[in-house]
Amino acid sequence: MHDIKHWIDGAYAAGTSDRHSEVFNPATGEVQARVPLATAAEIDAAVDRAAEAQVGWAATNPQRRARVMMKFGALIQRDMDKLAEAISREHGKTLPDAKGDVQRGLEVVEVCMGAPHMLKGEAMTDGGPGIDLYSMRQPLGVVAGITPFNFPAMIPLWKMAPAIVSGNAMILKPSERTPTCSLLLAELLKEAGLPDGVLQVVHGDKEAVDAILDNETVQAVGFVGSTPIAQYIYGRAATNGKRAQCFGGAKNHMIIMPDADLDKAADALVGSGYGAAGERCMAISVAVPVGEETADRLTEKLIPRIEKLKVGPYTGGDDVDYGPLITGAAKERVEGLISSGIDQGAEALADGRGFSLQGYENGFFLGPTFFDRVTPDMDIYREEIFGPVLSQVRMGSYEDALDLVMKNQYGNGTAIFTRDGDAARDFAARVNVGMVGINFPIPVPLSYFTFGGWKKSAFGDLNQYGPDAFRFYTRTKTVTARWFSGIKDGGEFHFKAMD
Ligand code: NAD
């Protein structure tokens, strides 16, 4: 049991509040650390110092700022194992999955190494007679990142790298469930040459978040988490005149057409549905086979794959497929939803409740659950479960399957498995979801594209990372310039009498 600290002005700082949150080891159920929950006064002090540090950082030319990212990227690679271990210890995901978490964040740092190109602005000479126009992208000042528990490296990196390389200072408030990785990243940024105060990592809960939202110096808020909190933060930030992009929850559907390669589809469903115990915003949680025969054949392929899944701690060896849920409360919530599915008439072909692992009886593990014949009125369909639960909704036609996806309140990711290019193109063009996979179950775009959902999966404008991130973290100033006739048109060079 140890005390976690804030990271202020380039050094660890103990919290001054008397409130703490417990950080569990999800595999054993034990409390392994306490994290301080910052007061509003602590947030305000961190913001003030960040505002001072930001002035010098914004005046550092973009190439030098990018060089910090180059070193940062190399240091992340050097410390990959250490970062992954810190993630697995607090989150419970397997080590290869934790490395993927770091890797997908690192890829955004790599794009930030070329940030000067993104910060150039635009120019036009002779836009009018003798009139030149140019636009600049200037940093906002102090910005904030508020991040969820499930990707302790990737999402803080999606926030901090583009914000900082654009010349801003950042207050990062990571999840109080998985706080350590952000601190290790802050250490690495300092080693890479980032001036003290440009990144402040402050832990906290609603009190700290509200203080960020109400602080007049904070210019923008980037949030990732559940939909109700995303909507709340978006509303309060906007009321206070801040830029906000708030990414929320998901219910991602995968349509399986009758012509699909069902072995590939079954592999994809099991990997994306149960990987990381289903605690991914891009997890596929709803399988939508088209036609009864497709559904029956798919079910036959899914069951043995689900039965083979190995659930265990991250220290349990290379063949562990997924680990525990994040907290006992999260496990209870998912168990409650599974019970509701059975009560409401879904067919549980695999039921993960009551799963127990020798030596880890108090861990937050759940076995894989698979529901067939789920209908849209059931709670297990309507709610984001965020656990190792896959629901199958059988649909009679492609149009009905598409309609189901379209009517869902969430629009983060979706996928179609088919051998028919025409169906795939039609789906990609018409579906009202932000990220689409074609024979690809978790379509998280590469870092030079952008990431963002539609409908209740995102509030605000502009996506995360890629070109949108540089737009979000800078404001545009446009200059229109005209020079009147100067000395080239007739300067007088002889000595003139004064009379
Ligand atoms: P969460 O909403 O509980 O917490 C996210 C952040 O908000 C944390 O930093 C937390 O401290 C803070 N917070 C929690 N309650 C708050 C309150 N009442 N007021 C102010 N701040 C508050 O989410 P989580 O459980 O950490 O993460 C899981 C959720 O995140 C899922 O819904 C998942 O789909 C979503 N998610 C979305 C994306 C995406 O890009 N769309 C990515 C990852 C996770």
Side-chain angles (χ1 to χ4, degrees), residues 145-151 154-155 158 173-178 204-210 213 223-230 232-233 246-251 279-282 326 384 386 410 412 435 451-453 457-458 464:
I146 300 164
T147 56
F149 79 83
N150 66 328
F151 282 101
M154 181 180 85
I155 296 180
W158 287 2
K173 203 231 57 82
S175 168
E176 63 278 29
R177 309 257 172 251
T178 51
D205 60 0
K206 181 170 165 49
E207 182 178 341
V209 171
D210 285 350
L213 299 175
F223 171 86
V224 180
S226 59
T227 287
I229 309 297
Y232 164 72
I233 289 181
C246 300
F247 299 92
K251 194 84 182 170
E279 291 176 326
R280 288 184 186 138
C281 68
M282 289 293 274
I326 186 70
E384 180 187 35
F386 225 55
Y410 296 109
N412 213 36
M435 293 169 281
F451 180 109
S457 293
Q464 312 187 76

Coordinates of all heavy atoms in Angstrom, one line a residue, residues 145-151 154-155 158 173-178 204-210 213 223-230 232-233 246-251 279-282 326 384 386 410 412 435 451-453 457-458 464, ligand 1:
G145 N -7.0 18.0 -19.8 CA -7.4 16.6 -20.3 C -8.0 15.8 -19.1 O -7.4 15.8 -18.0
I146 N -9.1 15.3 -19.3 CA -9.8 14.4 -18.2 C -10.0 13.1 -18.9 O -10.7 13.0 -19.9 CB -11.1 15.1 -17.8 CG1 -10.8 16.5 -17.2 CG2 -11.8 14.3 -16.7 CD1 -12.0 17.4 -17.1
T147 N -9.4 12.0 -18.3 CA -9.3 10.8 -19.0 C -9.9 9.6 -18.2 O -10.0 9.7 -17.0 CB -7.9 10.5 -19.4 OG1 -7.0 10.5 -18.3 CG2 -7.4 11.5 -20.4
P148 N -10.3 8.5 -18.9 CA -11.0 7.4 -18.2 C -9.9 6.3 -17.8 O -8.7 6.4 -18.1 CB -11.8 6.8 -19.4 CG -11.0 7.0 -20.6 CD -10.2 8.3 -20.4
F149 N -10.5 5.3 -17.1 CA -9.6 4.3 -16.5 C -9.0 3.3 -17.5 O -8.0 2.7 -17.3 CB -10.3 3.5 -15.4 CG -11.2 2.5 -15.9 CD1 -10.7 1.2 -16.2 CD2 -12.6 2.7 -16.0 CE1 -11.6 0.2 -16.7 CE2 -13.4 1.7 -16.5 CZ -12.9 0.5 -16.8
N150 N -9.7 3.2 -18.7 CA -9.5 1.9 -19.4 C -8.3 2.0 -20.4 O -7.9 0.9 -20.8 CB -10.8 1.5 -20.2 CG -11.2 2.5 -21.3 OD1 -10.9 3.7 -21.2 ND2 -11.8 2.0 -22.3
F151 N -7.8 3.1 -20.7 CA -6.6 3.2 -21.5 C -5.6 4.2 -20.8 O -5.5 5.4 -21.2 CB -6.8 3.6 -23.0 CG -7.4 2.5 -23.8 CD1 -8.7 2.4 -24.1 CD2 -6.5 1.5 -24.3 CE1 -9.2 1.4 -24.9 CE2 -7.0 0.5 -25.1 CZ -8.3 0.4 -25.3
M154 N -2.8 5.4 -23.5 CA -3.2 5.8 -24.9 C -3.9 7.2 -24.8 O -3.6 8.1 -25.5 CB -4.0 4.7 -25.5 CG -4.5 5.1 -26.9 SD -5.5 3.7 -27.6 CE -7.1 4.1 -27.0
I155 N -4.9 7.2 -23.9 CA -5.8 8.4 -24.0 C -5.1 9.6 -23.4 O -5.1 10.7 -24.0 CB -7.2 8.1 -23.4 CG1 -7.8 7.1 -24.3 CG2 -8.0 9.4 -23.3 CD1 -9.2 6.6 -23.9
W158 N -3.0 10.8 -26.2 CA -3.8 11.5 -27.2 C -4.1 12.9 -26.9 O -4.3 13.8 -27.7 CB -5.2 10.8 -27.4 CG -5.2 9.4 -28.1 CD1 -4.1 8.7 -28.5 CD2 -6.3 8.6 -28.4 NE1 -4.5 7.5 -29.0 CE2 -5.8 7.4 -29.0 CE3 -7.7 8.8 -28.2 CZ2 -6.7 6.4 -29.4 CZ3 -8.5 7.7 -28.6 CH2 -8.0 6.6 -29.2
K173 N -6.0 15.4 -15.7 CA -6.6 14.7 -14.6 C -6.9 13.3 -15.0 O -8.0 13.0 -15.6 CB -7.9 15.5 -14.1 CG -8.2 15.1 -12.7 CD -9.6 14.7 -12.4 CE -10.2 13.5 -13.0 NZ -9.9 12.2 -12.5
P174 N -6.0 12.4 -14.7 CA -6.3 11.0 -15.2 C -7.3 10.3 -14.3 O -7.7 10.9 -13.2 CB -4.9 10.3 -15.0 CG -4.2 11.1 -13.9 CD -4.7 12.5 -14.0
S175 N -7.7 9.2 -14.7 CA -8.7 8.4 -13.9 C -8.1 8.1 -12.5 O -6.9 7.7 -12.4 CB -9.1 7.1 -14.6 OG -9.8 6.3 -13.6
E176 N -8.8 8.2 -11.5 CA -8.4 7.9 -10.1 C -8.2 6.4 -9.9 O -7.7 5.9 -8.9 CB -9.2 8.5 -9.0 CG -10.7 8.1 -9.0 CD -11.6 8.7 -10.0 OE1 -11.2 9.1 -11.1 OE2 -12.8 8.8 -9.7
R177 N -8.7 5.6 -10.9 CA -8.6 4.1 -10.8 C -7.2 3.7 -11.3 O -6.7 2.7 -10.9 CB -9.7 3.5 -11.7 CG -11.0 3.9 -11.4 CD -11.8 3.0 -10.5 NE -13.1 3.5 -10.2 CZ -13.4 3.9 -8.9 NH1 -12.5 3.8 -7.9 NH2 -14.6 4.4 -8.6
T178 N -6.7 4.4 -12.3 CA -5.4 4.0 -13.0 C -4.5 5.2 -13.1 O -4.2 5.6 -14.2 CB -5.7 3.4 -14.3 OG1 -6.6 4.3 -15.1 CG2 -6.4 2.0 -14.2
G204 N -8.0 13.5 -9.0 CA -9.1 14.0 -8.3 C -10.4 13.4 -8.9 O -10.4 12.5 -9.8
D205 N -11.5 13.8 -8.3 CA -12.8 13.4 -8.7 C -13.7 14.6 -9.2 O -13.1 15.5 -9.7 CB -13.5 12.5 -7.6 CG -13.7 13.3 -6.3 OD1 -13.3 14.5 -6.3 OD2 -14.2 12.8 -5.3
K206 N -14.9 14.5 -8.9 CA -15.8 15.6 -9.4 C -15.4 17.0 -8.9 O -15.5 18.0 -9.7 CB -17.3 15.3 -8.9 CG -18.3 16.3 -9.4 CD -19.7 15.8 -9.1 CE -20.7 16.9 -9.2 NZ -20.6 17.7 -10.5
E207 N -14.9 17.1 -7.7 CA -14.5 18.4 -7.1 C -13.4 19.0 -8.0 O -13.4 20.2 -8.4 CB -14.0 18.3 -5.7 CG -13.7 19.6 -5.1 CD -13.2 19.5 -3.6 OE1 -13.6 18.5 -2.9 OE2 -12.6 20.5 -3.1
A208 N -12.4 18.1 -8.3 CA -11.3 18.6 -9.1 C -11.8 19.0 -10.6 O -11.4 20.0 -11.1 CB -10.2 17.6 -9.2
V209 N -12.6 18.1 -11.1 CA -13.1 18.4 -12.5 C -13.9 19.7 -12.5 O -13.7 20.5 -13.4 CB -13.9 17.1 -13.0 CG1 -14.6 17.5 -14.3 CG2 -13.1 15.9 -13.1
D210 N -14.8 19.9 -11.5 CA -15.6 21.1 -11.5 C -14.7 22.3 -11.4 O -14.9 23.4 -12.0 CB -16.6 21.1 -10.4 CG -17.8 20.1 -10.7 OD1 -17.9 19.7 -11.9 OD2 -18.6 19.8 -9.8
L213 N -13.4 23.0 -14.7 CA -14.4 23.6 -15.6 C -14.7 25.0 -15.3 O -15.1 25.8 -16.2 CB -15.7 22.7 -15.6 CG -15.5 21.3 -16.0 CD1 -16.8 20.5 -15.7 CD2 -15.1 21.1 -17.4
F223 N -12.2 15.7 -23.0 CA -12.7 14.6 -22.0 C -12.9 13.3 -22.8 O -13.3 13.3 -23.9 CB -14.0 15.1 -21.4 CG -14.6 14.0 -20.6 CD1 -14.3 13.7 -19.2 CD2 -15.6 13.1 -21.1 CE1 -14.9 12.7 -18.5 CE2 -16.2 12.1 -20.4 CZ -15.8 11.9 -19.1
V224 N -12.6 12.2 -22.1 CA -13.0 10.9 -22.6 C -13.5 10.1 -21.3 O -12.9 10.1 -20.3 CB -11.8 10.1 -23.2 CG1 -12.3 8.7 -23.7 CG2 -11.2 10.9 -24.4
G225 N -14.7 9.5 -21.5 CA -15.3 8.7 -20.4 C -16.7 8.3 -20.7 O -17.0 8.2 -21.9
S226 N -17.5 8.2 -19.7 CA -18.9 7.7 -20.0 C -19.8 8.8 -20.5 O -19.5 10.0 -20.3 CB -19.5 7.1 -18.7 OG -19.5 8.1 -17.7
T227 N -20.9 8.5 -21.2 CA -21.7 9.5 -21.8 C -22.3 10.5 -20.8 O -22.3 11.7 -21.1 CB -22.8 8.8 -22.7 OG1 -22.1 8.3 -23.8 CG2 -23.9 9.7 -23.1
P228 N -22.9 10.1 -19.7 CA -23.5 11.1 -18.8 C -22.5 12.1 -18.4 O -22.8 13.3 -18.3 CB -24.0 10.3 -17.6 CG -24.1 8.9 -18.1 CD -23.1 8.7 -19.2
I229 N -21.2 11.7 -18.1 CA -20.2 12.6 -17.6 C -19.7 13.5 -18.8 O -19.5 14.7 -18.6 CB -19.0 11.9 -16.9 CG1 -19.5 10.9 -15.9 CG2 -18.1 12.9 -16.3 CD1 -20.2 11.5 -14.7
A230 N -19.6 12.9 -20.0 CA -19.2 13.6 -21.2 C -20.2 14.8 -21.4 O -19.8 15.9 -21.7 CB -19.1 12.7 -22.4
Y232 N -22.3 16.2 -19.3 CA -22.2 17.1 -18.2 C -21.0 18.1 -18.4 O -21.1 19.3 -18.3 CB -22.1 16.4 -16.9 CG -21.6 17.2 -15.7 CD1 -22.5 18.2 -15.2 CD2 -20.3 17.1 -15.2 CE1 -22.0 19.0 -14.1 CE2 -19.9 17.9 -14.2 CZ -20.7 18.8 -13.6 OH -20.3 19.6 -12.6
I233 N -19.9 17.5 -18.7 CA -18.7 18.3 -18.8 C -18.8 19.2 -20.0 O -18.4 20.4 -20.0 CB -17.4 17.4 -18.9 CG1 -17.2 16.8 -17.5 CG2 -16.2 18.1 -19.4 CD1 -16.0 15.9 -17.4
C246 N -15.9 16.2 -25.9 CA -16.1 15.2 -24.9 C -16.6 13.9 -25.5 O -17.7 13.8 -26.1 CB -17.2 15.8 -23.9 SG -16.6 17.3 -23.1
F247 N -15.8 12.9 -25.3 CA -16.1 11.6 -26.0 C -16.7 10.7 -24.9 O -16.2 10.5 -23.8 CB -14.8 11.0 -26.6 CG -14.3 11.9 -27.6 CD1 -13.3 12.9 -27.3 CD2 -14.8 11.9 -28.9 CE1 -12.8 13.8 -28.3 CE2 -14.3 12.8 -29.9 CZ -13.3 13.7 -29.6
G248 N -17.8 10.0 -25.3 CA -18.5 9.2 -24.4 C -18.5 7.7 -24.6 O -17.6 7.2 -25.3
G249 N -19.6 7.1 -24.2 CA -19.7 5.6 -24.2 C -20.1 5.1 -25.6 O -20.2 5.8 -26.6
A250 N -20.3 3.8 -25.6 CA -20.5 3.1 -26.9 C -21.4 1.9 -26.8 O -21.5 1.3 -25.7 CB -19.2 2.8 -27.5
K251 N -21.9 1.5 -27.9 CA -22.5 0.1 -28.0 C -22.3 -0.2 -29.5 O -23.0 0.2 -30.4 CB -24.0 0.3 -27.8 CG -24.8 -1.0 -27.6 CD -24.6 -1.5 -26.1 CE -25.3 -2.8 -25.9 NZ -25.0 -3.4 -24.6
E279 N -13.8 -4.0 -21.6 CA -13.7 -2.6 -21.1 C -13.0 -1.8 -22.2 O -12.0 -1.1 -21.9 CB -13.0 -2.6 -19.8 CG -13.8 -3.2 -18.7 CD -13.0 -3.3 -17.3 OE1 -11.8 -3.5 -17.3 OE2 -13.7 -3.1 -16.3
R280 N -13.5 -1.8 -23.4 CA -13.0 -0.9 -24.4 C -14.1 -0.2 -25.1 O -15.2 -0.8 -25.4 CB -12.3 -1.7 -25.5 CG -11.0 -2.4 -25.1 CD -10.5 -3.1 -26.4 NE -9.3 -3.8 -26.1 CZ -9.1 -5.1 -26.7 NH1 -10.0 -5.6 -27.4 NH2 -8.0 -5.7 -26.4
C281 N -13.9 1.1 -25.4 CA -15.0 1.9 -26.0 C -15.2 1.4 -27.4 O -16.2 1.8 -28.0 CB -14.7 3.4 -26.0 SG -13.3 3.8 -27.0
M282 N -14.3 0.7 -28.0 CA -14.4 0.2 -29.3 C -14.7 -1.3 -29.4 O -14.7 -2.0 -30.4 CB -13.2 0.5 -30.2 CG -13.1 2.0 -30.5 SD -14.4 2.6 -31.6 CE -13.7 2.2 -33.2
I326 N -12.4 -3.7 -13.5 CA -11.6 -2.7 -12.8 C -11.9 -2.6 -11.3 O -11.0 -2.4 -10.5 CB -11.8 -1.3 -13.5 CG1 -10.9 -0.2 -12.9 CG2 -13.3 -0.8 -13.4 CD1 -9.4 -0.4 -13.2
E384 N -24.7 0.4 -22.1 CA -23.3 0.0 -22.3 C -22.9 -0.9 -21.2 O -22.9 -0.4 -20.0 CB -22.4 1.3 -22.4 CG -21.0 0.9 -22.7 CD -20.0 2.1 -22.6 OE1 -20.2 3.0 -21.8 OE2 -19.0 2.1 -23.3
F386 N -19.9 -2.7 -20.7 CA -18.5 -2.5 -20.4 C -18.0 -3.7 -19.6 O -17.4 -3.5 -18.5 CB -18.3 -1.2 -19.6 CG -17.1 -0.4 -20.2 CD1 -17.0 -0.1 -21.5 CD2 -16.1 0.0 -19.3 CE1 -15.9 0.6 -22.0 CE2 -15.0 0.7 -19.8 CZ -14.9 1.0 -21.2
Y410 N -25.9 5.3 -29.5 CA -24.5 5.5 -29.6 C -24.0 5.4 -31.0 O -24.6 4.7 -31.8 CB -23.7 4.4 -28.7 CG -24.0 4.5 -27.3 CD1 -24.8 3.6 -26.6 CD2 -23.5 5.6 -26.5 CE1 -25.0 3.7 -25.2 CE2 -23.7 5.7 -25.1 CZ -24.5 4.7 -24.5 OH -24.7 4.8 -23.2
N412 N -20.2 5.2 -31.8 CA -18.7 5.2 -31.8 C -18.1 4.4 -32.9 O -17.5 5.0 -33.9 CB -18.2 4.7 -30.4 CG -17.0 5.4 -30.0 OD1 -16.8 6.6 -30.2 ND2 -16.1 4.7 -29.3
M435 N -16.8 5.6 -36.8 CA -15.7 4.8 -37.2 C -16.2 3.4 -37.7 O -16.9 2.8 -37.0 CB -14.7 4.6 -36.1 CG -14.0 6.0 -35.8 SD -13.0 6.0 -34.3 CE -14.2 6.1 -33.0
F451 N -9.9 10.2 -34.5 CA -10.8 9.3 -33.8 C -12.0 10.0 -33.2 O -11.8 11.0 -32.5 CB -9.9 8.7 -32.7 CG -10.7 7.7 -31.8 CD1 -10.4 6.3 -31.9 CD2 -11.7 8.1 -30.9 CE1 -11.1 5.4 -31.1 CE2 -12.3 7.2 -30.1 CZ -12.0 5.8 -30.2
G452 N -13.2 9.6 -33.5 CA -14.3 10.2 -32.8 C -15.6 9.5 -33.2 O -15.8 9.1 -34.4
G453 N -16.5 9.5 -32.3 CA -17.8 8.9 -32.6 C -18.9 9.9 -32.9 O -18.6 11.1 -32.9
S457 N -22.0 9.3 -28.5 CA -20.7 8.9 -28.2 C -19.7 10.1 -28.3 O -18.5 9.9 -27.9 CB -20.2 7.8 -29.2 OG -20.9 6.7 -29.0
A458 N -20.2 11.3 -28.6 CA -19.3 12.4 -28.6 C -20.1 13.7 -28.6 O -21.1 13.8 -29.2 CB -18.4 12.4 -29.9
Q464 N -10.4 13.5 -31.9 CA -9.1 13.4 -31.2 C -8.0 13.0 -32.2 O -8.3 12.2 -33.1 CB -9.2 12.3 -30.1 CG -10.4 12.3 -29.3 CD -10.3 11.3 -28.1 OE1 -9.6 11.6 -27.2 NE2 -11.1 10.2 -28.2
Ligands
NAD1 P1 -16.1 7.9 -16.2 O1 -17.0 8.8 -17.0 O2 -16.6 7.3 -14.9 O3 -14.8 8.7 -15.8 C1 -14.0 9.4 -16.7 C2 -13.4 10.6 -16.0 O4 -14.4 11.5 -15.5 C3 -12.4 10.2 -14.9 O5 -11.3 11.0 -14.9 C4 -13.3 10.5 -13.7 O6 -12.5 10.9 -12.5 C5 -14.2 11.7 -14.1 N1 -15.5 11.7 -13.5 C6 -16.2 10.6 -13.0 N2 -17.4 11.0 -12.5 C7 -17.4 12.4 -12.6 C8 -18.4 13.4 -12.2 N3 -19.5 13.1 -11.6 N4 -18.1 14.7 -12.5 C9 -16.9 15.0 -13.0 N5 -16.0 14.1 -13.4 C10 -16.2 12.8 -13.2 O7 -15.6 6.8 -17.2 P2 -14.6 5.5 -16.9 O8 -15.4 4.5 -16.1 O9 -13.3 5.9 -16.3 O10 -14.4 5.0 -18.4 C11 -15.2 4.1 -19.1 C12 -16.1 4.9 -20.0 O11 -15.3 5.6 -20.9 C13 -17.0 4.0 -20.9 O12 -18.3 4.5 -21.0 C14 -16.3 4.0 -22.2 O13 -17.1 3.7 -23.3 C15 -15.8 5.4 -22.3 N6 -14.6 5.6 -23.2 C16 -14.9 6.3 -24.3 C17 -13.9 6.4 -25.3 C18 -14.1 7.2 -26.5 O14 -13.1 7.6 -27.1 N7 -15.3 7.5 -26.9 C19 -12.6 5.9 -25.0 C20 -12.4 5.2 -23.8 C21 -13.4 5.0 -22.9

